[in-house]
Amino acid sequence: MELAVIELLLDAGPVVKLVLLILVYFSVVSWGIIFYKWKALRRALQQSRLFQDYFWENRNIEQVAQQLKQYPASPLSNVFRSGYQELVRQQRAQGEKQTLPPNVAANVNRAMERSCGGETERLEKHLTFLATTGSATPFIGLFGTVWGIMGSFHGIGQSGSASLAVVAPGISEALVATAMGLMAAIPAVVAYNHFLNKVNILLGQMESFRQDFLNIVENLTRRS
């Protein structure tokens, strides 16, 4: 069976071969993205969980800021860094004054929102390619199949014979393109939905953490 498929690929016309090359490109790149995103999102989820545990166990933002290097893949740690740096900047701007400006929470919120936007972009990176692969490759494969069947019928018309022995090889060759399109699309669609779910979990964690950190900043403002 494997040798028969290889023979079909070698005997395919130039248009079908081009379609197959495009499908192989989509498949190889999407599998590379799948392995990369699986590893990256797995690390992000693990380190975010560890960072959350450490943050709520210590409750000391200065001490937490000193340990951020331990969580480089965590989106929450990067959001915290942005908010903490803005808070420190506001404190330094006050000089020797012991009070924080009333708009410090708004400034910290803007800094954290910018960081959330950057982290969202980083988490969603390359997912568009998976979505494109899942939606486009079946149609690319179908195009190769239709083109191959058109060539088969053209050959039938020239030969004047419509026997199964004449029709079957051309149709089998054409259907390989559809099979390749589905082989590229199915893993991409499954991976895209899986990764999108993980990204949404991290986005929810970031939004929740941002609100919690803002509450801490507002409490500091009231105390000062």
Side-chain angles (χ1 to χ4, degrees):
M1 182 63 183
E2 293 179 357
L3 292 176
V5 172
I6 293 175
E7 290 178 0
L8 288 173
L9 296 177
L10 293 176
D11 294 337
V15 174
V16 176
K17 285 182 178 178
L18 177 61
V19 168
L20 294 176
L21 286 175
I22 293 172
L23 293 174
V24 168
Y25 166 77
F26 272 101
S27 181
V28 170
V29 175
S30 64
W31 273 109
I33 292 173
I34 287 170
F35 286 119
Y36 167 74
K37 294 300 290 185
W38 177 80
K39 183 178 179 181
L41 291 175
R42 182 169 172 266
R43 287 186 63 204
L45 287 165
Q46 289 178 344
Q47 293 192 12
S48 293
R49 184 175 65 253
L50 294 173
F51 174 77
Q52 276 186 311
D53 293 341
Y54 181 77
F55 180 84
W56 293 114
E57 285 174 2
N58 286 270
R59 301 263 183 165
N60 187 323
I61 59 177
E62 289 82 5
Q63 186 176 359
V64 172
Q66 295 174 1
Q67 302 297 324
L68 289 180
K69 292 182 179 179
Q70 297 183 14
Y71 314 98
S74 171
L76 301 187
S77 67
N78 294 328
V79 172
F80 170 82
R81 180 184 289 108
S82 299
Y84 177 76
Q85 289 176 348
E86 179 62 24
L87 179 62
V88 171
R89 191 183 71 82
Q90 294 287 332
Q91 290 174 333
R92 290 176 179 173
Q94 291 297 103
E96 297 180 355
K97 297 180 181 179
Q98 298 297 319
T99 60
L100 289 171
N103 63 338
V104 63
N107 293 333
V108 169
N109 184 41
R110 282 194 293 269
M112 296 180 77
E113 283 183 341
R114 287 193 298 270
S115 180
C116 285
E119 291 301 312
T120 300
E121 184 178 351
R122 182 174 67 87
L123 291 171
E124 293 179 346
K125 189 176 182 181
H126 302 310
L127 291 186
T128 302
F129 188 89
L130 292 180
T132 301
T133 300
S135 60
T137 51
F139 294 103
I140 296 174
L142 183 61
F143 169 76
T145 296
V146 171
W147 188 273
I149 291 176
M150 287 170 58
S152 297
F153 280 112
H154 179 71
I156 292 171
Q158 287 184 331
S159 64
S161 174
S163 65
L164 186 62
V166 175
V167 177
I171 294 178
S172 298
E173 169 193 313
L175 290 175
V176 171
T178 297
M180 289 289 292
L182 294 175
M183 288 174 62
I186 292 172
V189 170
V190 173
Y192 174 79
N193 290 328
H194 175 73
F195 294 149
L196 188 62
N197 178 60
K198 300 300 181 184
V199 169
N200 288 333
I201 290 173
L202 288 167
L203 294 182
Q205 290 178 352
M206 282 193 297
E207 179 61 23
S208 178
F209 180 79
R210 184 179 67 86
Q211 295 294 338
D212 292 336
F213 188 80
L214 285 176
N215 291 336
I216 294 174
V217 172
E218 290 174 353
N219 289 334
L220 291 174
T221 305
R222 296 190 197 100
R223 292 174 187 173
S224 62

